[in-house]
Amino acid sequence: MRLFRTVSILLFIGTAFVVSASAQKTRPRKAQPAKPPVSKTVAPLDVRTAREKVEIQRSNTSRFIDVLGPIAQEIENTTETARRQNLPRETVERNEQNKRRVIAAIRNLRVGIATLESDFRTRSSLRRYLPNLQGVTDLVASSEDLALAGKFVAAKDPLRDVLKKLTDTLNVMPQ
């Protein structure tokens, strides 16, 4: 009986080693069919240059929105404070000068974006991307109108829409 128990334990231990050893064997893999190399098509030169122009205007608009935020808030706060109480003349003049600078900056931004939209309208190779970009000049003009009305904080909203349209245009254009 004792011999039977010892043999069965040894047999059990030996079986465990055989099972674990067979689990570690590597089996040969089937050969995968070779994939042909992916050839990337290059967009035409005018599409690539237009894409660079869109990226530049997107960068300019994004930077302008980031800079405009604190300045617009300061302009509106100073204007409101000037209405309620008497501020030093230098402060009021500096605020008016800041207003003129922001409006001039929006106009300069509009010139660049209008040129970009015009390029997309006039070049036949870029017309298929025009629906994504169409109307950005009008959005910048509405931002300028809001700034002229003294609503500098609200003037950022149309510029955010411009930024979105520029990003959408970049997403559909080939690289």
Side-chain angles (χ1 to χ4, degrees):
M1 175 92 163
R2 197 170 192 186
L3 180 63
F4 179 70
R5 196 181 315 163
T6 307
V7 170
S8 57
I9 291 174
L10 287 175
L11 187 61
F12 178 72
I13 292 173
T15 309
F17 285 122
V18 170
V19 171
S20 67
S22 66
Q24 293 178 4
K25 286 183 183 175
T26 58
R27 294 180 176 84
R29 295 183 184 189
K30 293 182 181 178
Q32 296 286 336
K35 294 181 183 177
V38 177
S39 63
K40 192 173 184 180
T41 59
V42 178
L45 180 62
D46 53 344
V47 174
R48 288 184 304 211
T49 57
R51 181 177 172 81
E52 289 174 9
K53 289 178 182 179
V54 172
E55 286 176 354
I56 290 168
Q57 290 303 322
R58 183 184 170 282
S59 173
N60 290 344
T61 305
S62 177
R63 198 171 333 129
F64 186 78
I65 291 170
D66 292 342
V67 170
L68 180 63
I71 293 172
Q73 191 65 47
E74 181 184 335
I75 288 173
E76 287 190 8
N77 289 343
T78 306
T79 303
E80 185 62 32
T81 305
R83 282 189 208 142
R84 287 183 287 158
Q85 55 184 321
N86 208 2
L87 288 179
R89 184 176 180 90
E90 298 149 357
T91 305
V92 174
E93 287 176 5
R94 191 172 351 119
N95 193 42
E96 290 301 318
Q97 186 179 21
N98 286 341
K99 286 180 184 180
R100 288 190 298 272
R101 284 182 183 167
V102 168
I103 291 169
I106 292 174
R107 284 183 181 146
N108 290 338
L109 185 66
R110 186 178 73 172
V111 168
I113 291 195
T115 304
L116 179 70
E117 188 173 1
S118 174
D119 284 349
F120 275 75
R121 285 184 195 283
T122 56
R123 293 195 179 146
S124 60
S125 60
L126 301 176
R127 281 196 189 125
R128 67 174 147 180
Y129 309 113
L130 182 63
N132 296 312
L133 191 68
Q134 197 164 13
V136 290
T137 306
D138 296 334
L139 288 169
V140 178
S142 67
S143 176
E144 182 182 353
D145 292 341
L146 287 168
L148 287 169
K151 299 177 181 176
F152 291 92
V153 174
K156 291 189 313 183
D157 294 336
L159 293 177
R160 286 188 183 117
D161 294 337
V162 169
L163 187 62
K164 184 179 180 218
K165 283 184 171 267
L166 291 171
T167 304
D168 291 346
T169 303
L170 281 175
N171 288 338
V172 297
M173 291 182 79
Q175 293 184 4

